[in-house]
Amino acid sequence: MKYFVVDAFTDKVFEGNPAGICVMDEWLPDDLMQKIAIENNLSETAFAVKEKDGYRLRWFTPGNEIDLCGHATLATAYVISNYYDLNIKTIKFHTLSGELVVVKKDDLYEMDFPSRMPEVFPLSEQMIEALGVKPVETYLGRDLMFVLEKEEDVYNASPDFSKLANLPDGLGVTITAKSEKYDFASRSFFPKLNVNEDPVCGSAHCNLIPYWAKRLGKVEMVARQLSKRGGTLYCRYDGDRVKISGSAALYSIADIRIK
């Protein structure tokens, strides 16, 4: 089975967020896809099968299947447009989060995702101890989202991953602050899914974009993820939807020998 590794939200390898991509003729058993994700040991491995009007898309972390992943969606669109449906401009994905559309615009891939404004949530001492820094605001959507005082605090944060994994609320944890060079910056952690830090998390921006759009009074924004690899996301707030755009770079093409 052909297997691609693509770095998403960057135009060069060794930056952005690497995703494993398998575009298949038919579905493998769920437990086998999970084993492949564990073996790949990337934050996400995406599996896609062509359907009449698009592709069915599923995402697996080393821990389990999840309902939404931005960087692996972008990476899958890159693989399909360059190696399967050559020169396709619009790709429709059927997913656990509904229909997702990716439009190729020159070197960028624009994803149309659901907007998920997080709700204000009470801060606990357990959260502060896990983060190692006291946030100024706390929110909960799918993930816990902590707003820090300044960008430097996001960059320098050194959370205790075992304590993050023991927080009772949220699938993951995102920290964010206003940026000097960009509009806002963030980092994302998913130790509950065996991914301590997700280098560039597109799905977290379903929360981040509506929050920062309201706070900054802007519809279009540029975001930066401050992981060691780093990545840039071009964001647009569109009411109940958000547009997240980024570039991608191919790292490798290989064969997975499963038979």
Side-chain angles (χ1 to χ4, degrees):
M1 181 174 67
K2 197 67 70 180
Y3 169 66
F4 301 79
V5 176
V6 175
D7 291 339
F9 299 116
T10 181
D11 58 3
K12 54 187 175 183
V13 295
F14 306 123
E15 291 187 4
N17 199 353
I21 309 299
C22 298
V23 180
M24 310 175 298
D25 293 328
E26 58 185 21
W27 290 107
L28 298 172
D30 287 7
D31 64 330
L32 180 53
M33 289 190 287
Q34 185 64 68
K35 288 177 180 177
I36 292 170
I38 294 170
E39 188 77 7
N40 292 344
N41 200 32
L42 297 172
S43 57
E44 265 87 19
T45 298
F47 299 88
V49 172
K50 188 173 179 60
E51 295 186 346
K52 186 176 299 184
D53 60 344
Y55 288 81
R56 178 70 54 181
L57 177 62
R58 298 172 68 183
W59 309 277
F60 287 77
T61 75
N64 55 266
E65 184 175 10
I66 59 172
D67 69 337
L68 185 63
C69 176
H71 82 280
T73 301
L74 189 157
T76 304
Y78 173 91
V79 169
I80 289 171
S81 65
N82 285 280
Y83 297 95
Y84 291 89
D85 283 342
L86 301 183
N87 301 315
I88 190 172
K89 297 298 182 184
T90 301
I91 304 172
K92 183 186 299 183
F93 291 114
H94 305 287
T95 79
L96 290 176
S97 290
E99 182 179 294
L100 305 177
V101 176
V102 180
V103 179
K104 188 176 187 302
K105 297 182 176 181
D106 297 323
D107 293 330
L108 293 178
Y109 294 82
E110 181 186 81
M111 300 181 291
D112 183 328
F113 274 20
S115 176
R116 297 173 171 175
M117 185 70 174
E119 300 289 335
V120 175
F121 197 74
L123 178 66
S124 68
E125 287 298 323
Q126 184 184 10
M127 294 173 186
I128 297 172
E129 187 176 341
L131 286 173
V133 62
K134 186 175 182 178
V136 295
E137 297 175 38
T138 304
Y139 295 87
L140 178 65
R142 181 195 69 177
D143 311 319
L144 282 165
M145 189 180 96
F146 299 101
V147 182
L148 305 189
E149 185 176 353
K150 53 186 182 294
E151 183 178 15
E152 183 181 358
D153 294 337
V154 175
Y155 182 81
N156 292 327
S158 182
D160 186 315
F161 297 121
S162 63
K163 291 180 179 179
L164 287 185
N166 287 326
L167 293 177
D169 301 291
L171 180 66
V173 171
T174 295
I175 56 176
T176 185
K178 190 177 185 301
S179 173
E180 295 181 6
K181 183 178 179 181
Y182 303 90
D183 289 296
F184 64 89
S186 66
R187 290 171 66 190
S188 296
F189 312 103
F190 292 90
K192 290 179 182 178
L193 297 176
N194 298 328
V195 178
N196 282 341
E197 181 163 8
D198 196 8
V200 189
C201 184
S203 61
H205 286 73
C206 293
N207 295 150
L208 290 165
I209 292 171
Y211 170 84
W212 284 108
K214 181 178 180 180
R215 179 162 170 178
L216 299 175
K218 301 178 72 172
V219 172
E220 294 187 353
M221 297 164 287
V222 181
R224 182 71 179 175
Q225 200 113 39
L226 297 179
S227 64
K228 289 183 179 180
R229 292 177 65 97
T232 302
L233 306 92
Y234 302 91
C235 309
R236 180 178 176 84
Y237 176 60
D238 193 18
D240 62 350
R241 307 293 295 180
V242 294
K243 302 292 179 66
I244 306 170
S245 300
S247 52
L250 178 69
Y251 173 68
S252 70
I253 304 175
D255 288 308
I256 296 178
R257 302 178 66 85
I258 55 176
K259 295 181 179 180

